[in-house]
Short mmCIF file of all heavy atoms in Angstrom, two decimals:
data_model
loop_
_atom_site.label_atom_id
_atom_site.label_comp_id
_atom_site.label_asym_id
_atom_site.label_seq_id
_atom_site.Cartn_x
_atom_site.Cartn_y
_atom_site.Cartn_z
N GLN A 1 103.27 43.27 96.33
CA GLN A 1 104.24 42.27 95.88
C GLN A 1 104.51 41.27 96.99
O GLN A 1 104.65 41.65 98.16
CB GLN A 1 105.57 42.94 95.47
CG GLN A 1 105.47 43.81 94.24
CD GLN A 1 106.82 44.39 93.85
OE1 GLN A 1 107.76 44.39 94.64
NE2 GLN A 1 106.93 44.86 92.61
N LEU A 2 104.54 40.00 96.60
CA LEU A 2 104.99 38.93 97.49
C LEU A 2 106.30 38.41 96.93
O LEU A 2 106.38 38.08 95.75
CB LEU A 2 103.96 37.81 97.56
CG LEU A 2 102.57 38.18 98.09
CD1 LEU A 2 101.66 36.95 98.03
CD2 LEU A 2 102.64 38.71 99.50
N GLN A 3 107.33 38.33 97.78
CA GLN A 3 108.66 37.95 97.29
C GLN A 3 109.26 36.82 98.13
O GLN A 3 109.01 36.74 99.33
CB GLN A 3 109.62 39.15 97.31
CG GLN A 3 109.40 40.13 96.18
CD GLN A 3 110.49 41.18 96.14
OE1 GLN A 3 111.17 41.43 97.13
NE2 GLN A 3 110.68 41.80 94.98
N ILE A 4 110.05 36.02 97.46
CA ILE A 4 110.85 35.01 98.15
C ILE A 4 112.24 35.02 97.54
O ILE A 4 112.41 35.18 96.33
CB ILE A 4 110.20 33.61 98.03
CG1 ILE A 4 111.00 32.59 98.82
CG2 ILE A 4 110.04 33.19 96.59
CD1 ILE A 4 110.32 31.23 98.92
N SER A 5 113.24 34.91 98.38
CA SER A 5 114.63 34.98 97.93
C SER A 5 115.30 33.62 98.14
O SER A 5 115.30 33.08 99.25
CB SER A 5 115.37 36.06 98.73
OG SER A 5 116.72 36.09 98.38
N ILE A 6 115.89 33.06 97.06
CA ILE A 6 116.56 31.76 97.11
C ILE A 6 118.07 31.97 96.89
O ILE A 6 118.49 32.39 95.81
CB ILE A 6 116.01 30.83 96.02
CG1 ILE A 6 114.49 30.68 96.18
CG2 ILE A 6 116.70 29.48 96.07
CD1 ILE A 6 113.83 29.90 95.06
N PRO A 7 118.88 31.70 97.91
CA PRO A 7 120.34 31.86 97.74
C PRO A 7 120.89 30.85 96.72
O PRO A 7 120.38 29.75 96.57
CB PRO A 7 120.88 31.58 99.13
CG PRO A 7 119.73 31.80 100.04
CD PRO A 7 118.53 31.38 99.28
N LEU A 8 121.94 31.26 96.01
CA LEU A 8 122.58 30.40 95.01
C LEU A 8 124.07 30.28 95.32
O LEU A 8 124.65 31.12 96.04
CB LEU A 8 122.38 30.98 93.61
CG LEU A 8 120.94 31.12 93.10
CD1 LEU A 8 120.92 31.91 91.80
CD2 LEU A 8 120.29 29.75 92.91
N SER A 9 124.67 29.23 94.74
CA SER A 9 126.13 29.03 94.83
C SER A 9 126.61 28.94 96.27
O SER A 9 127.61 29.54 96.64
CB SER A 9 126.85 30.16 94.08
OG SER A 9 128.22 29.87 93.96
N GLU A 10 125.86 28.20 97.08
CA GLU A 10 126.25 27.97 98.47
C GLU A 10 126.20 26.46 98.74
O GLU A 10 125.46 25.72 98.09
CB GLU A 10 125.30 28.69 99.43
CG GLU A 10 125.23 30.20 99.25
CD GLU A 10 126.49 30.90 99.74
OE1 GLU A 10 127.27 30.26 100.47
OE2 GLU A 10 126.68 32.08 99.39
N GLN A 11 126.98 26.03 99.74
CA GLN A 11 126.93 24.61 100.08
C GLN A 11 125.63 24.26 100.79
O GLN A 11 124.98 23.25 100.51
CB GLN A 11 128.14 24.24 100.97
CG GLN A 11 129.47 24.24 100.23
CD GLN A 11 130.61 23.77 101.09
OE1 GLN A 11 130.54 23.81 102.32
NE2 GLN A 11 131.68 23.30 100.46
N THR A 12 125.27 25.11 101.74
CA THR A 12 123.96 24.97 102.38
C THR A 12 123.25 26.30 102.26
O THR A 12 123.88 27.37 102.27
CB THR A 12 124.10 24.60 103.87
OG1 THR A 12 124.83 25.64 104.55
CG2 THR A 12 124.81 23.26 104.03
N ILE A 13 121.96 26.22 102.16
CA ILE A 13 121.24 27.47 101.90
C ILE A 13 120.05 27.61 102.83
O ILE A 13 119.49 26.63 103.33
CB ILE A 13 120.75 27.55 100.44
CG1 ILE A 13 119.72 26.44 100.15
CG2 ILE A 13 121.91 27.50 99.47
CD1 ILE A 13 119.07 26.58 98.79
N ASP A 14 119.71 28.85 103.06
CA ASP A 14 118.46 29.20 103.72
C ASP A 14 117.58 29.87 102.67
O ASP A 14 118.04 30.76 101.94
CB ASP A 14 118.69 30.19 104.87
CG ASP A 14 119.29 29.51 106.08
OD1 ASP A 14 118.86 28.39 106.38
OD2 ASP A 14 120.19 30.11 106.71
N ILE A 15 116.36 29.46 102.56
CA ILE A 15 115.42 30.13 101.67
C ILE A 15 114.56 31.03 102.54
O ILE A 15 113.83 30.54 103.41
CB ILE A 15 114.56 29.13 100.90
CG1 ILE A 15 115.44 28.20 100.05
CG2 ILE A 15 113.54 29.84 100.02
CD1 ILE A 15 114.69 27.13 99.31
N THR A 16 114.68 32.31 102.35
CA THR A 16 113.97 33.27 103.20
C THR A 16 113.12 34.20 102.35
O THR A 16 113.44 34.48 101.19
CB THR A 16 114.96 34.11 104.01
OG1 THR A 16 115.83 34.80 103.12
CG2 THR A 16 115.78 33.24 104.94
N MET A 17 112.06 34.67 102.95
CA MET A 17 111.20 35.66 102.30
C MET A 17 111.71 37.05 102.65
O MET A 17 111.93 37.36 103.82
CB MET A 17 109.75 35.49 102.75
CG MET A 17 109.06 34.28 102.16
SD MET A 17 107.34 34.13 102.67
CE MET A 17 107.53 33.61 104.37
N ASP A 18 111.90 37.86 101.62
CA ASP A 18 112.38 39.22 101.86
C ASP A 18 111.31 40.09 102.51
O ASP A 18 111.64 41.02 103.24
CB ASP A 18 112.81 39.87 100.53
CG ASP A 18 114.17 39.32 100.08
OD1 ASP A 18 114.86 38.71 100.91
OD2 ASP A 18 114.52 39.51 98.90
N SER A 19 110.04 39.87 102.21
CA SER A 19 108.97 40.69 102.78
C SER A 19 108.09 39.84 103.68
O SER A 19 108.00 38.63 103.52
CB SER A 19 108.12 41.32 101.66
OG SER A 19 107.54 40.31 100.87
N LYS A 20 107.47 40.51 104.62
CA LYS A 20 106.57 39.82 105.51
C LYS A 20 105.32 39.41 104.76
O LYS A 20 105.01 39.93 103.70
CB LYS A 20 106.20 40.72 106.68
CG LYS A 20 107.37 41.08 107.59
CD LYS A 20 106.91 41.97 108.73
CE LYS A 20 108.08 42.34 109.63
NZ LYS A 20 107.65 43.21 110.74
N GLU A 21 104.60 38.50 105.35
CA GLU A 21 103.33 38.10 104.75
C GLU A 21 102.38 39.30 104.74
O GLU A 21 102.36 40.10 105.67
CB GLU A 21 102.71 36.93 105.52
CG GLU A 21 103.50 35.63 105.37
CD GLU A 21 102.80 34.46 106.02
OE1 GLU A 21 101.88 34.70 106.82
OE2 GLU A 21 103.17 33.31 105.72
N LEU A 22 101.62 39.41 103.68
CA LEU A 22 100.72 40.54 103.49
C LEU A 22 99.46 40.34 104.31
O LEU A 22 98.81 39.29 104.24
CB LEU A 22 100.39 40.68 102.00
CG LEU A 22 99.41 41.80 101.62
CD1 LEU A 22 100.01 43.16 101.95
CD2 LEU A 22 99.07 41.72 100.14
N ASN A 23 99.13 41.38 105.08
CA ASN A 23 97.90 41.33 105.87
C ASN A 23 97.43 42.77 106.11
O ASN A 23 97.64 43.35 107.16
CB ASN A 23 98.15 40.61 107.20
CG ASN A 23 96.86 40.36 107.96
OD1 ASN A 23 95.77 40.61 107.47
ND2 ASN A 23 96.99 39.86 109.18
N ASP A 24 96.82 43.33 105.09
CA ASP A 24 96.40 44.73 105.13
C ASP A 24 94.89 44.85 105.18
O ASP A 24 94.18 44.11 104.49
CB ASP A 24 96.92 45.48 103.90
CG ASP A 24 98.42 45.72 103.97
OD1 ASP A 24 98.98 45.59 105.08
OD2 ASP A 24 99.02 46.01 102.92
N LYS A 25 94.42 45.81 105.97
CA LYS A 25 92.99 46.10 106.06
C LYS A 25 92.78 47.59 105.79
O LYS A 25 93.64 48.41 106.04
CB LYS A 25 92.45 45.74 107.44
CG LYS A 25 92.50 44.25 107.76
CD LYS A 25 91.93 43.98 109.14
CE LYS A 25 91.98 42.49 109.47
NZ LYS A 25 91.43 42.19 110.81
N GLY A 26 91.61 47.90 105.28
CA GLY A 26 91.30 49.30 105.01
C GLY A 26 89.81 49.51 104.83
O GLY A 26 89.03 48.56 104.77
N VAL A 27 89.44 50.78 104.75
CA VAL A 27 88.04 51.16 104.56
C VAL A 27 87.95 52.14 103.40
O VAL A 27 88.71 53.12 103.35
CB VAL A 27 87.44 51.80 105.83
CG1 VAL A 27 86.00 52.25 105.57
CG2 VAL A 27 87.48 50.81 106.99
N LEU A 28 87.06 51.85 102.48
CA LEU A 28 86.80 52.77 101.37
C LEU A 28 85.66 53.68 101.79
O LEU A 28 84.52 53.25 101.93
CB LEU A 28 86.42 52.00 100.10
CG LEU A 28 87.43 50.94 99.64
CD1 LEU A 28 86.87 50.19 98.43
CD2 LEU A 28 88.75 51.58 99.29
N THR A 29 85.98 54.95 102.04
CA THR A 29 84.95 55.88 102.48
C THR A 29 84.12 56.35 101.30
O THR A 29 84.62 56.49 100.19
CB THR A 29 85.57 57.10 103.18
OG1 THR A 29 86.48 57.73 102.28
CG2 THR A 29 86.31 56.67 104.44
N SER A 30 82.86 56.57 101.57
CA SER A 30 81.96 56.98 100.50
C SER A 30 81.89 58.49 100.43
O SER A 30 82.19 59.20 101.38
CB SER A 30 80.55 56.43 100.74
OG SER A 30 80.00 57.00 101.90
N GLU A 31 81.49 58.98 99.27
CA GLU A 31 81.18 60.38 99.14
C GLU A 31 79.84 60.60 99.82
O GLU A 31 79.16 59.65 100.19
CB GLU A 31 81.11 60.75 97.66
CG GLU A 31 82.32 60.23 96.92
CD GLU A 31 82.88 61.25 95.98
OE1 GLU A 31 82.16 62.19 95.70
OE2 GLU A 31 84.03 61.09 95.58
N THR A 32 79.45 61.84 100.02
CA THR A 32 78.20 62.10 100.72
C THR A 32 77.03 61.46 99.99
O THR A 32 76.82 61.68 98.81
CB THR A 32 77.96 63.63 100.82
OG1 THR A 32 79.06 64.21 101.51
CG2 THR A 32 76.68 63.91 101.57
#
């Protein structure tokens, strides 16, 4: 999931991402 949170009902707002940017690596191991 990629998420972004937008504050509401404020005079000034910060738009911040709740989660860090996705950067995952992995290896799919084979059967024999």
Side-chain angles (χ1 to χ4, degrees):
Q1 293 183 344
L2 300 178
Q3 283 188 339
I4 183 171
S5 176
I6 304 174
L8 299 171
S9 190
E10 300 288 344
Q11 289 184 338
T12 60
I13 64 172
D14 285 320
I15 300 177
T16 58
M17 286 182 287
D18 284 345
S19 61
K20 295 181 181 180
E21 291 186 345
L22 178 64
N23 188 7
D24 287 344
K25 295 180 180 180
V27 177
L28 305 176
T29 57
S30 65
E31 311 224 343
T32 301

